[in-house]
C-alpha cells in the first residue's frame, strides 16, 4: 500500500468482502493484508478493491469451468447470487438481485452481435484471410455495494427552493465528477413537482451555499443525494399543498400538480403565483432535507454490511495477434442491474466510460517503479486508452428496484468497470490458451508463450 496507508485498509476490506464473487458460496474464509513499502501511497481506484478481486475470481471461474468441462456461463448461472442468498459476510439478500437476468441477457446479446451460436462463442476463430489473428469471447460477472456500509453513517442533504419566477433550485455540496448527479437531481425534483426539467436549476459543490452531500464514492450519490432531493421536493410540495388548502378552504387531497400548474378548486395557479401567495402570507417556499440511508453493520458483527448491491455482467470479444501478442478489444456487451434507470442516456454514458476505464486497467495503464524511482512520471507514459481503442459497446439496462432507493435506483458508477478486465483476459485465454494473471496484459509474454509452444 506504499509509504502511507491512505485508503489502503478500506480498499483491502472491500476486496475481501467481495472475494467470493457474486456467487452463493456456503463456506468462505478470506484473509487479506496491506503492506507498507518504500513506494508512493496506493489508494482508491474505480471499483475500490473489487476490481482486483473480481479479476482473480472470474479468472478462476473460467478455469473451474474448463476443469469440469462445463460451459462458463452455465457454471455462473448454477452459483449466482439470488434473493435469499447469503453473501460471504453473512448478509442475506432480501431484494433487488438482478444477476441472473444480467447473465441471461448478455448471453443472448453475445450471440446476436457475433452471429455465433452459444457453443461457438468461446472457441478460437481465425480472422478471414489471415493466419495470425485469432478472435474469441470472454465472460465475467461481478457485484458491488452501493453506499459506504460497514456501520458508517451514510447521510446527504439537499435544499429545494421555489423562486419568484416559478423556477426551482435544488442544492447539495455533493461532488459532480461527470457521473451525472446534476441530471439525477434535476429529473427527481422535476418529477416530484410536475414541471419540465428546464424549470429546475441545480447547484452543487458550493459548500458555503449548500448542505453536506457526503463524499462522491461508493456509487452512493444517486441513492443518497437522489433521495435527499426527492424528499426535499416532496416536503416542499406538501407545504405548498397545505398553504393552498388553507387559503382556498379545500381539502389537501383536492389539490393536483400537473404540467407545471397547481389546480386548486377550479383555480389554476402557476408556480410564480404560488410563490406570491406563500410569501404574502409570510411563508418561505424552501425546504432542507437531510437523508440518512438504512443503517449497516461493521464487518464481523452480523447483519447487513451494505444496504444495496448492484450487479453487472460483461462479455468481450478480443482479437489476438499471435506474432506480436497484441490484443485488440472488438466488442463489449454489458448488462447492469441498477435498480431503476433515472436517466437512461446518462446511464449509457456511465457504462461506456466504465468499460473504457476497465479496458485501460486491463491492457494499457501501468504505473512503473524502478528501484524506488517513478518511471511513469507523466501521462504520456501511462497510456490511458483513447478513442482508437474504443470497442463497439452494447449496454443493457436491468432493473430490479431496491425499496429504499429513489424510485428503486441503486448505483452504477463502479459496477460498470469491474467485470471488464476478466472478460478480456478470459477472452484472451479462449483465443490463444494463454492465461493472464498479472496486469496490465503483457503482450510480449503472450507472444513468447506462443512462440515457445510453437517450438515444441
Amino acid at each position: 500500500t506504499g509509504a502511507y496507508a491512505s485508503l489502503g485498509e478500506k480498499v483491502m476490506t472491500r476486496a475481501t468482502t467481495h472475494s467470493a464473487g457474486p456467487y452463493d458460496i456456503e463456506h468462505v474464509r478470506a484473509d487479506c493484508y496491506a503492506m507498507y513499502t518504500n513506494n508512493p501511497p496506493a489508494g482508491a481506484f474505480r471499483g475500490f478493491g473489487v476490481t482486483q478481486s473480481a479479476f482473480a475470481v472470474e479468472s478462476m471461474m473460467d478455469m473451474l469451468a474448463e476443469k469440469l468441462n462445463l460451459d462458463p456461463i452455465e457454471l455462473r448461472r448454477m452459483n449466482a447470487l439470488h434473493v435469499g442468498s447469503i453473501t460471504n459476510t453473512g448478509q442475506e439478500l432480501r431484494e433487488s438481485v438482478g444477476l441472473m437476468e444480467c447473465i441471461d441477457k448478455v448471453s443472448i446479446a453475445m450471440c446476436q452481435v457475433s452471429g455465433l451460436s452459444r457453443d461457438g462463442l468461446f472457441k478460437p476463430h481465425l480472422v478471414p484471410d489471415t493466419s495470425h489473428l485469432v478472435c474469441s469471447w470472454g465472460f465475467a460477472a461481478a457485484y458491488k455495494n452501493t453506499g459506504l456500509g460497514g456501520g458508517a453513517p451514510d447521510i446527504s442533504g439537499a435544499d429545494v427552493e421555489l423562486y419568484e419566477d416559478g423556477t426551482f433550485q435544488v442544492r447539495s455540496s455533493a461532488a459532480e465528477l461527470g457521473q451525472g448527479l446534476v441530471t439525477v437531481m434535476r429529473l427527481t425534483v422535476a418529477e416530484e413537482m410536475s414541471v419540465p426539467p428546464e424549470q429546475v436549476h441545480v447547484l452543487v459543490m458550493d459548500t458555503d451555499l449548500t448542505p453536506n452531500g457526503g463524499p462522491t464514492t461508493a456509487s452512493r450519490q444517486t441513492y443518497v443525494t437522489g433521495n435527499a432531493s426527492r424528499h426535499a421536493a416532496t416536503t416542499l410540495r406538501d407545504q405548498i399543498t397545505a398553504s393552498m388548502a388553507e387559503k382556498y378552504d379545500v381539502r389537501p387531497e383536492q389539490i393536483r400538480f400537473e404540467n407545471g400548474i397547481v389546480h386548486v378548486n377550479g383555480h389554476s395557479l402557476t408556480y410564480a403565483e404560488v410563490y406570491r401567495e406563500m410569501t404574502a402570507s409570510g411563508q418561505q417556499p424552501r425546504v432542507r432535507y437531510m437523508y440518512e440511508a438504512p443503517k449497516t453493520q461493521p464487518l464481523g458483527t452480523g447483519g447487513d454490511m451494505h444496504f444495496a448491491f448492484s450487479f453487472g455482467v460483461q462479455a468481450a470479444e478480443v482479437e489476438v495477434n499471435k506474432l506480436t501478442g497484441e490484443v485488440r478489444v472488438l466488442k463489449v456487451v454489458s448488462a447492469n442491474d441498477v435498480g431503476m434507470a433515472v436517466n437512461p442516456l446518462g446511464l449509457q454514458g456511465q457504462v461506456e466510460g466504465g468499460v473504457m476505464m476497465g479496458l485501460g486497467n486491463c491492457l494499457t495503464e501501468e504505473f512503473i517503479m524502478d528501484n524506488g524511482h517513478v518511471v511513469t512520471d507523466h501521462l504520456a507514459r501511462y497510456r490511458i486508452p483513447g478513442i482508437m481503442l474504443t470497442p463497439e459497446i452494447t449496454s443493457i439496462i436491468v432493473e430490479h428496484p431496491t425499496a429504499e432507493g429513489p424510485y428503486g435506483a441503486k448505483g452504477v458508477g463502479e459496477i460498470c468497470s469491474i467485470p471488464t478486465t476478466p472478460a478480456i483476459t478470459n477472452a484472451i485465454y479462449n483465443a490463444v490458451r494463454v492465461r493472464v494473471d498479472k496486469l496490465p496484459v503483457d503482450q510480449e509474454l503472450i507472444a513468447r508463450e506462443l512462440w515457445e509452444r510453437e517450438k515444441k
Side-chain angles (χ1 to χ4, degrees):
T1 196
Y4 306 98
S6 180
L7 283 169
E9 181 192 356
K10 302 296 183 185
V11 172
M12 175 189 69
T13 300
R14 197 63 65 244
T16 314
T17 57
H18 289 66
S19 60
Y23 304 111
D24 205 335
I25 311 295
E26 192 169 344
H27 303 289
V28 177
R29 172 170 176 154
D31 295 317
C32 199
Y33 301 89
M35 298 296 182
Y36 286 116
T37 68
N38 63 334
N39 290 318
F45 178 79
R46 193 176 194 161
F48 209 80
V50 188
T51 304
Q52 293 92 309
S53 58
F55 172 44
V57 171
E58 291 303 299
S59 298
M60 184 185 69
M61 289 297 284
D62 263 36
M63 294 162 73
L64 286 169
E66 183 180 34
K67 193 80 172 174
L68 296 168
N69 196 27
L70 285 172
D71 179 281
I73 298 176
E74 194 54 38
L75 180 62
R76 288 171 172 86
R77 292 186 87 261
M78 290 164 58
N79 293 280
L81 290 172
H82 52 81
V83 173
S85 291
I86 307 295
T87 71
N88 68 340
T89 66
Q91 176 172 344
E92 181 184 358
L93 301 178
R94 295 181 292 275
E95 56 155 17
S96 188
V97 185
L99 177 59
M100 194 71 81
E101 186 178 345
C102 289
I103 291 173
D104 291 342
K105 287 196 169 180
V106 169
S107 176
I108 293 167
M110 289 167 69
C111 297
Q112 291 172 340
V113 302
S114 67
L116 298 171
S117 66
R118 173 83 169 265
D119 293 339
L121 288 169
F122 304 121
K123 294 177 180 177
H125 301 277
L126 278 173
V127 174
D129 302 322
T130 72
S131 60
H132 63 285
L133 298 178
V134 188
C135 296
S136 192
W137 283 84
F139 195 90
Y143 79 130
K144 177 68 174 71
N145 60 288
T146 293
L148 303 175
D154 212 337
I155 300 170
S156 180
D159 291 342
V160 175
E161 183 172 0
L162 172 62
Y163 284 98
E164 185 178 5
D165 62 357
T167 62
F168 293 87
Q169 185 179 63
V170 53
R171 302 184 289 267
S172 178
S173 67
E176 166 62 66
L177 306 178
Q179 79 274 27
L181 174 64
V182 166
T183 307
V184 166
M185 294 169 68
R186 175 177 284 120
L187 292 175
T188 299
V189 173
E191 175 74 17
E192 295 301 328
M193 305 311 298
S194 298
V195 297
E198 303 78 43
Q199 207 166 322
V200 180
H201 304 292
V202 183
L203 176 65
V204 291
M205 298 187 286
D206 188 328
T207 55
D208 190 41
L209 300 174
T210 61
N212 180 22
T216 293
T217 184
S219 305
R220 68 185 286 277
Q221 284 296 351
T222 291
Y223 192 107
V224 292
T225 304
N227 260 335
S229 303
R230 182 170 66 96
H231 288 302
T234 56
T235 304
L236 178 57
R237 190 182 66 205
D238 291 344
Q239 286 186 5
I240 293 171
T241 299
S243 177
M244 295 302 103
E246 181 178 356
K247 177 173 178 58
Y248 290 94
D249 194 25
V250 298
R251 296 193 305 274
E253 54 268 27
Q254 291 180 275
I255 297 174
R256 304 190 328 275
F257 296 77
E258 293 178 355
N259 301 319
I261 300 297
V262 182
H263 298 279
V264 185
N265 194 27
H267 299 273
S268 296
L269 305 175
T270 66
Y271 276 111
E273 291 170 323
V274 168
Y275 175 88
R276 288 195 292 272
E277 297 275 16
M278 292 184 70
T279 53
S281 62
Q283 302 176 70
Q284 286 298 317
R286 179 176 64 243
V287 166
R288 170 167 293 184
Y289 193 96
M290 299 302 297
Y291 173 77
E292 183 170 1
K295 294 190 183 305
T296 56
Q297 298 296 320
L299 178 62
T301 61
D304 292 350
M305 190 174 174
H306 299 290
F307 53 74
F309 293 94
S310 296
F311 297 84
V313 171
Q314 288 186 24
E317 183 188 23
V318 304
E319 175 190 275
V320 183
N321 187 321
K322 293 197 295 181
L323 301 179
T324 65
E326 183 182 2
V327 177
R328 194 160 67 95
V329 182
L330 305 177
K331 295 183 177 74
V332 172
V333 178
S334 176
N336 295 279
D337 169 25
V338 299
M340 202 284 289
V342 178
N343 177 16
L345 187 59
L347 172 59
Q348 181 179 333
Q350 271 285 77
V351 171
E352 291 172 358
V355 167
M356 284 306 295
M357 196 164 178
L359 186 150
N361 173 70
C362 181
L363 295 180
T364 65
E365 298 178 28
E366 184 174 18
F367 186 78
I368 302 170
M369 297 290 299
D370 182 23
N371 292 323
H373 296 283
V374 176
V375 176
T376 319
D377 54 0
H378 52 272
L379 284 175
R381 289 181 177 168
Y382 188 64
R383 296 176 61 218
I384 294 173
I387 192 69
M388 296 300 291
L389 294 182
T390 304
E392 176 188 318
I393 301 172
T394 302
S395 175
I396 302 168
I397 298 173
V398 174
E399 296 177 307
H400 286 240
T402 182
E404 286 290 322
Y407 316 111
K410 303 182 283 192
V412 73
E414 295 165 286
I415 188 63
C416 58
S417 66
I418 293 171
T420 311
T421 291
I424 293 170
T425 56
N426 285 339
I428 293 170
Y429 180 82
N430 292 335
V432 294
R433 290 296 185 264
V434 176
R435 174 59 64 188
V436 174
D437 59 8
K438 181 179 180 296
L439 298 174
V441 171
D442 185 344
Q443 69 180 64
E444 291 183 6
L445 181 145
I446 294 174
R448 190 182 311 120
E449 215 171 300
L450 292 174
W451 180 72
E452 289 175 356
R453 194 185 300 166
E454 287 287 327
K455 282 199 308 180
K456 293 179 181 178

